[in-house]
Amino acid sequence: MPLKVFKANKDDLVDLFNLANDPLVRKNSFNKKEITMAEHKHWFGNQIDSNNSLILIAKKDGKFVGVVKFKLEDENIIGISIAKYFRGKGLSNSVLTEAIEYLKKDRPEIKIITALIKEENIASVKTFEKSGFKFDQKIKVNESPSLKYIYEI
Ligand SMILES: CC(C)(COP(=O)(O)OP(=O)(O)OC[C@H]1O[C@@H](n2cnc3c(N)ncnc32)[C@H](O)[C@@H]1OP(=O)(O)O)[C@@H](O)C(=O)NCCC(=O)NCCS
């Protein structure tokens, strides 16, 4: 079965919590602090009710592969995380492509997506470049030397 993306719902709370606290995900985030379940529940409740947020779950053969999050304000910041057991299998490009296709249909008014990537996160840079994101500039995000990539729809 091909990989598909779905809008997140409350059944995804635990998968998202576990992935958010995965050591590589925390390391590559701009806020490295571990997340408590209480914080996660509060955050998730706000996100799924918000018009400024879109959280998409990627599944393959019914299994949770990863998540793509869009913060739909100003620059429309995108984030991607693949679950540990699906990493390194070349799935990130399909996950991103499917998520962008979903966004295009769901929010046709959006014309630009921005990715902010820590400079040393090579797998992420390759993933975004392969999916059509173009390098824009070097910037610092929370003191971390980072790269800004742009995708024009
Ligand atoms: C970044 C991430 C989504 C990439 O997904 P992935 O499943 O690991 O990557 P893929 O197997 O699809 O490979 C994508 C590319 O990165 C390369 N790559 C994968 N892991 C790598 C690693 N550890 N070091 C260097 N390159 C790596 C692959 O060779 C591939 O490059 P290619 O297309 O030139 O062959 C995933 O590693 C992840 O969830 N990381 C933690 C969260 C994160 O960093 N998110 C991004 C924040 S901006």
Side-chain angles (χ1 to χ4, degrees):
M1 280 259 286
L3 183 140
K4 278 201 76 175
V5 298
F6 305 88
K7 196 165 179 179
N9 66 54
K10 56 181 174 24
D11 297 335
D12 302 307
L13 184 111
V14 173
D15 282 333
L16 288 175
F17 177 68
N18 292 334
L19 183 53
N21 275 327
D22 173 281
L24 185 65
V25 173
R26 292 274 33 91
K27 177 174 173 276
N28 290 338
S29 297
F30 293 108
N31 176 2
K32 289 192 190 154
K33 205 169 96 15
E34 196 175 323
I35 300 159
T36 66
M37 185 47 121
E39 285 166 342
H40 179 70
K41 276 187 178 160
H42 179 72
W43 170 85
F44 190 58
N46 285 341
Q47 300 296 305
I48 55 176
D49 286 343
S50 167
N51 213 30
N52 291 334
S53 170
L54 180 63
I55 301 183
L56 298 174
I57 303 295
K59 288 194 177 180
K60 193 167 162 51
D61 301 327
K63 294 195 186 98
F64 175 79
V65 170
V67 62
V68 174
K69 299 176 200 160
F70 293 99
K71 203 197 250 180
L72 300 174
E73 45 195 42
D74 305 330
E75 298 180 288
N76 303 311
I77 308 281
I78 187 172
I80 179 172
S81 303
I82 303 286
K84 188 174 175 189
Y85 296 106
F86 284 98
R87 270 180 220 147
K89 299 184 191 300
L91 289 174
S92 60
N93 177 246
S94 320
V95 172
L96 263 191
T97 305
E98 288 296 315
I100 292 170
E101 284 309 308
Y102 188 107
L103 179 79
K104 282 183 189 167
K105 289 192 191 111
D106 197 60
R107 304 290 181 94
E109 73 281 9
I110 288 176
K111 297 294 169 216
I112 197 160
I113 308 171
T114 305
L116 301 173
I117 310 166
K118 284 188 180 171
E119 227 168 41
E120 68 272 16
N121 192 352
I122 308 296
S124 184
V125 167
K126 286 190 171 178
T127 295
F128 281 103
E129 283 185 347
K130 205 171 184 177
S131 303
F133 281 72
K134 301 276 178 266
F135 174 73
D136 181 62
Q137 57 177 293
K138 285 190 173 202
I139 52 164
K140 277 212 170 163
V141 182
N142 292 354
E143 304 296 310
S144 299
S146 303
L147 308 171
K148 181 171 173 178
Y149 274 79
I150 303 279
Y151 181 96
E152 287 182 63
I153 296 174

